[in-house]
């Protein structure tokens, strides 16, 4: 019977900085001695992890992956634990001393102010680290948004009533942390900003030449200043805008 083995402690998902060391835990009870084997998922392929045959799986975080544990008894009964996600954040490795961190939520990506036309999609995004991985809850003008419980807030067709001040709360068993509050403006707009810029620049002859190249450099690490998060998102957003304007974009961080 599959009920011959009962999982008493499931592993839990985590969201951690690159290089952070921790263990995934799985516990089970059965009628005979139990054997454990951990698996990870890479590029949609499920791989057995060599030598990972204990209840605890030690991990030093390098890349985002999914994990599960198979438990066997001596009668060839087998069960699998829940799949859990180990989400790894590359950009904050130096900004957080792991020895001081107890797994409480830490915001690593704040939402940004948005201007959206009526009927167009509205997307806000945030991210937080935490052990266990935080849950998310979005608010508009201080009111809880019942359906918006993910890192990305997504509204397919924005209405005028969707305008307001948004923020998100990331929480886990250690506490909660709030993102910055950002304003969302909803209104009619005859042309997207990029199209307005493009037509204005064409009129001035700025875009007349061919082979337009833009170099973007975002500095994140400073010797005498805490690590910044904004340059990563700023370079990404500027790259998208400049590509829409026909530039070939070369971007560097640090």
């Amino acid at each position: 019977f599959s009920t011959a083995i009962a999982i008493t402690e499931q592993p839990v998902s985590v969201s951690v900085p690159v290089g952070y060391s921790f263990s995934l835990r799985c516990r089970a009870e059965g009628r005979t001695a139990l054997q454990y084997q951990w698996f990870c998922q890479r590029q949609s392929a499920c791989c057995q992890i060599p030598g990972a045959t204990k209840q605890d799986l030690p991990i030093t975080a390098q890349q985002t992956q999914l994990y599960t544990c198979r438990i066997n008894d001596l009668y060839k009964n087998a069960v699998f634990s829940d799949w859990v996600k180990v989400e790894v954040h590359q950009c904050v490795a130096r900004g957080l001393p792991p020895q001081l961190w107890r797994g409480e939520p830490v915001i690593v990506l704040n939402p940004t102010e948005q201007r959206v036309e009526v009927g167009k999609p509205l997307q806000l995004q945030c991210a937080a680290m935490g052990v266990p991985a935080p849950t998310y809850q979005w608010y508009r003008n201080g009111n809880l948004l019942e359906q918006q419980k993910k890192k990305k807030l997504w509204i397919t067709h924005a209405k005028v009533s969707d305008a307001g001040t948004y923020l998100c709360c990331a929480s886990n068993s250690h506490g909660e942390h709030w993102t910055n509050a950002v304003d969302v403006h909803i209104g009619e707009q005859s042309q997207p900003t990029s199209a307005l810029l493009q037509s204005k620049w064409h009129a001035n002859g700025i875009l007349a030449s061919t082979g337009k190249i833009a170099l973007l450099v975002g500095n994140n690490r400073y010797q005498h200043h805490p690590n910044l998060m904004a340059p990563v998102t700023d370079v990404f957003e500027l790259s998208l805008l400049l590509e829409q304007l026909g530039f070939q974009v070369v971007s560097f961080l640090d």
Side-chain angles (χ1 to χ4, degrees), residues 3-23:
T3 53
I5 303 169
I7 295 179
T8 56
E9 184 180 347
Q10 293 278 6
V12 296
S13 295
V14 301
S15 184
V16 295
V18 68
Y20 187 74
S21 295
F22 64 99
S23 290

Side-chain angles (χ1 to χ4, degrees), residues 17-21 92-103:
V18 68
Y20 187 74
S21 295
V92 287
R94 293 170 0 94
L96 189 77
Q99 69 274 16
L100 301 178
W101 187 47
R102 295 288 174 263

Side-chain angles (χ1 to χ4, degrees), residues 21-37:
S21 295
F22 64 99
S23 290
L24 292 177
R25 290 168 53 90
C26 185
R27 298 288 186 272
E29 294 175 350
R31 298 171 190 167
T32 73
L34 298 178
Q35 299 170 325
Y36 292 77
Q37 176 63 59

Side-chain angles (χ1 to χ4, degrees), residues 22-200:
F22 64 99
S23 290
L24 292 177
R25 290 168 53 90
C26 185
R27 298 288 186 272
E29 294 175 350
R31 298 171 190 167
T32 73
L34 298 178
Q35 299 170 325
Y36 292 77
Q37 176 63 59
W38 288 89
F39 294 79
C40 68
Q41 186 169 353
R42 291 194 187 97
Q43 283 92 40
S44 75
C46 186
C47 308
Q48 183 172 308
I49 304 172
T53 56
K54 300 219 167 57
Q55 294 175 318
D56 291 3
L57 175 68
I59 293 174
T60 298
Q62 295 301 330
Q63 59 186 347
T64 297
Q65 287 189 157
L66 298 173
Y67 293 85
T68 187
C69 186
R70 184 189 66 207
I71 303 107
N72 289 65
D73 68 10
L74 301 182
Y75 296 123
K76 298 186 178 176
N77 294 310
V79 295
F80 280 85
S81 74
D82 295 341
W83 280 97
V84 293
K85 186 177 189 179
V86 173
E87 185 177 43
V88 180
H89 296 273
Q90 302 289 339
C91 50
V92 287
R94 293 170 0 94
L96 189 77
Q99 69 274 16
L100 301 178
W101 187 47
R102 295 288 174 263
E104 65 277 8
V106 176
I107 302 295
V108 294
L109 176 65
N110 277 289
T112 55
E113 183 176 356
Q114 302 287 323
R115 294 181 180 275
V116 180
E117 293 178 56
V118 172
K120 292 294 176 69
L122 165 63
Q123 179 179 300
L124 293 171
Q125 194 170 348
C126 73
M129 296 190 302
V131 179
T135 58
Y136 296 88
Q137 178 60 64
W138 287 88
Y139 294 78
R140 182 183 67 239
N141 299 334
N143 298 314
L144 184 146
L145 298 170
E146 196 61 49
Q147 306 302 317
Q148 303 291 353
K149 296 178 181 292
K150 296 182 178 175
K151 283 189 288 190
K152 286 185 181 178
L153 175 144
W154 178 261
I155 296 172
T156 316
H157 304 290
K159 305 184 295 294
V160 173
S161 59
D162 291 322
T165 302
Y166 286 75
L167 78 170
C168 186
C169 178
S171 60
N172 66 11
S173 52
H174 298 289
E176 61 183 32
H177 211 108
W178 296 77
T179 67
N180 295 341
V182 296
D183 291 328
V184 171
H185 311 274
I186 313 288
E188 300 289 350
Q189 190 175 324
S190 57
Q191 277 184 300
T193 310
S194 58
L196 288 171
L197 275 174
Q198 200 163 358
S199 60
K200 190 183 295 183

